[in-house]
Amino acid sequence: MDSRDRHGPNDKVTITLRETETFFLFDLPQLTEDAGTEAGRAVIEENERYRRIMSGAGRKTVDAETQTAQLYTKTRGTYVGREERKNKATFVNNWVMHDAYRDEEKIGAGEPDERDRFKFPRDKPSELHHLQPEDQLAAIAATDAYVDATRVTLRILASKRYEEAQKRFAGLLRQDPCDPALELVYALEPLWRHENERTRRRTVSAFRWNPANGSLLAVGYGAVAKSSSPDEPSPADGLVLLWCAKNPSEPDRCYEFGSPVSDLDWSKSRPNLLAVGFYDGLVRVVDVSKKQLAVVRQSQRESSPSYEPHWQVQWWPMFDDRLDPREQLYTSNQDGRISFYPAKEAFASRQIFKLQRIQGRIPGVRRVNHCLGHDIPISRSPGALLLRRHPDQPDIYLVGTEEGCVLRCSTAQPQQHLDSFLAHDGPIYSLEFSPFCGKLLLSCGADWTTRIWAEGLDEPLLCFGTRMASVSAAAWSPRNSTIFASAVGNEICIWDIRRKTHRPASVTRVCEDTNARLRCLEFTRTGEQIVAADDEGVVYVIGLTGMPLPPFDQTQTLVEALRKALLTKPEILARLAKIGQPFGAVV
């Protein structure tokens, strides 16, 4: 619109212009001056003065000594990538919102209090109101919140009874090595026993410590022994219990099966998976993170036709790719088959080796000539009782048979063995590599002896024996390289090669109140306790006292102890020196 239409034809408009305050948005001061100007000459004088000071002219210096901490610094940098964002859509109706906010404890931004984990939901009492009192108690006892609260309460009560033993198990109470009254007695003191009504008269077939939780023990039990009373039934079922050191009296998990348990093993990459082998030839993988029995994988008769017991069930890392964290399950059973279950396929077994009975004479110990020479075996394949993977060579494994033979096999050459020797005159019950020297092997068997072998030699280095009874188990100590333990009948023998070899350092009778025999024996991860189990369903956790301090160089101490024990056998020392390190300097 024209200004004349707004003010009229004769109106005057006055416009006044004023200077406002100046705002500097960016100021870049000049850092150089012209040498011919006053400012330039001032800059030249200042530079000359600084140069004289730095060169030492006109500066006072004093020579003095001082102690200044020298700090080493290193420049480091990092790069943080941009976080990826994605748009996602969802649909929520009124019913979903109603169910989400039905419980008042879910409303609010704060995290729930730790004590609220065991609170009973507020909507449950309305449902339990119509039940009878005994039904209400049963419904409450079946909830997860009640089970968790009961477990915590039982652990608190158990700590009052086993407080000192639990502290010793955890390493909080240890023997003072500087105590002047300390004596090397190699004594065993019982800490506690894992047993209850379900395990009575059941043979403990195997137990394994969890690799991620050092206080969690998985124990597999066989069938219930036959009762003397003809009216009492004797079910032939299996049982797996998970015992925890926080409550030695009650198990944390209880899994029942229709067949006796022969062996079990934890997965190292996934510690919540427990592989269980049974007498009927089946293998199951159980997820112990679930409160109820959750079988993740199970072998089928179509792909695993064996009906013989699986004496060994072990998780081994994959050989083809060492960067792959997955594991494969390897088994050995009574019909002489060594099989594995591939991780990338269905849970179907693949046979990699089949044992054959001894024909003729093989190197090793001498066998007793029996009077009866017309015994005819019912099977051409002996039972594969033991399966051990080589600690230094991942593709090599050893197999111990019921004939006492040890076979050295390779996964790269299936269906045949590389070498063999006779370790015992009868079934072999233990076969363990030394944790400090992978070329030494400890074995025990039904011929009343425990032997130490060297890889590459078909003659035992040392032989140990106490009485005319089979040695059911033997294990190296992970704390001291020269100490190992063996189970003979109902006694645990502690041997120290550095001290003596003709008799054990100590003999402790474990099953004093019963005539039970020990079946399994193993050191704990720290080597300060021993765990043993008998054929009556009792698991013993025993502490070691009066033990020598671990040597600085475990391998060298073990080699020197063998050298001292083999002074009367120079021919074995000469053969042992040809094996190489660490025995190259034995002679």
Side-chain angles (χ1 to χ4, degrees), residues 130-360:
H130 303 286
L131 300 178
Q132 298 296 329
E134 56 274 9
D135 297 336
Q136 294 181 7
L137 295 177
I140 294 175
T143 59
D144 294 340
Y146 180 84
V147 174
D148 294 338
T150 304
R151 182 181 296 109
V152 173
T153 304
L154 292 177
R155 288 181 177 180
I156 295 175
L157 296 177
S159 63
K160 300 297 182 181
R161 178 182 178 184
Y162 303 100
E163 180 179 2
E164 184 177 357
Q166 290 174 341
K167 289 182 179 179
R168 290 187 55 186
F169 181 82
L172 301 179
L173 297 178
R174 292 183 177 178
Q175 195 171 13
D176 186 9
C178 299
D179 187 4
L182 178 62
E183 297 181 1
L184 300 181
V185 293
Y186 300 84
L188 277 69
E189 296 183 359
L191 299 181
W192 62 72
R193 303 196 306 181
H194 293 304
E195 60 176 335
N196 59 7
E197 293 296 333
R198 294 184 177 181
T199 64
R200 183 171 299 176
R201 294 189 295 111
R202 289 181 181 267
T203 301
V204 178
S205 55
F207 57 79
R208 295 289 185 276
W209 289 100
N210 189 277
N213 188 353
S215 61
L216 188 62
L217 181 66
V219 183
Y221 300 87
V224 178
K226 294 183 178 181
S227 175
S228 58
S229 176
D231 300 332
E232 183 178 354
S234 178
D237 53 355
L239 186 67
V240 173
L241 298 182
L242 300 186
W243 297 93
C244 185
K246 298 180 180 179
N247 184 12
S249 302
E250 293 294 333
D252 282 358
R253 297 284 192 273
C254 181
Y255 304 132
E256 295 182 355
F257 301 95
S259 177
V261 178
S262 57
D263 192 27
L264 45 82
D265 190 27
W266 293 98
S267 173
K268 280 71 177 179
S269 60
R270 291 173 292 178
N272 62 312
L273 298 183
L274 180 65
V276 185
F278 298 90
Y279 271 75
D280 59 358
L282 295 179
V283 177
R284 295 181 177 90
V285 179
V286 181
D287 187 0
V288 300
S289 62
K290 309 296 183 181
K291 292 182 175 61
Q292 304 298 330
L293 177 60
V295 179
V296 179
R297 309 185 75 179
Q298 179 176 347
S299 60
Q300 304 297 329
R301 291 300 183 189
E302 294 78 8
S303 57
S304 303
S306 176
Y307 286 84
E308 299 293 335
H310 288 287
W311 297 123
Q312 295 282 268
V313 177
Q314 297 178 3
W315 292 95
W316 291 357
M318 299 183 64
F319 297 102
D320 53 353
D321 188 2
R322 297 186 180 182
L323 299 179
D324 196 339
R326 290 180 298 178
E327 295 174 315
Q328 295 182 151
L329 197 63
Y330 285 75
T331 62
S332 63
N333 51 17
Q334 180 60 33
D335 58 4
R337 299 183 184 182
I338 310 298
S339 307
F340 77 100
Y341 295 82
K344 299 181 181 179
E345 302 178 4
F347 203 63
S349 65
R350 289 186 179 181
Q351 178 179 326
I352 60 175
F353 185 65
K354 184 67 176 295
L355 302 181
Q356 299 294 332
R357 291 196 175 272
I358 299 177
Q359 300 293 335

Side-chain angles (χ1 to χ4, degrees), residues 371-388:
C371 298
L372 300 178
H374 57 273
D375 293 339
I376 300 176
I378 61 176
S379 176
R380 297 183 58 186
S381 299
L385 304 183
L386 297 173
L387 184 64
R388 294 293 180 267

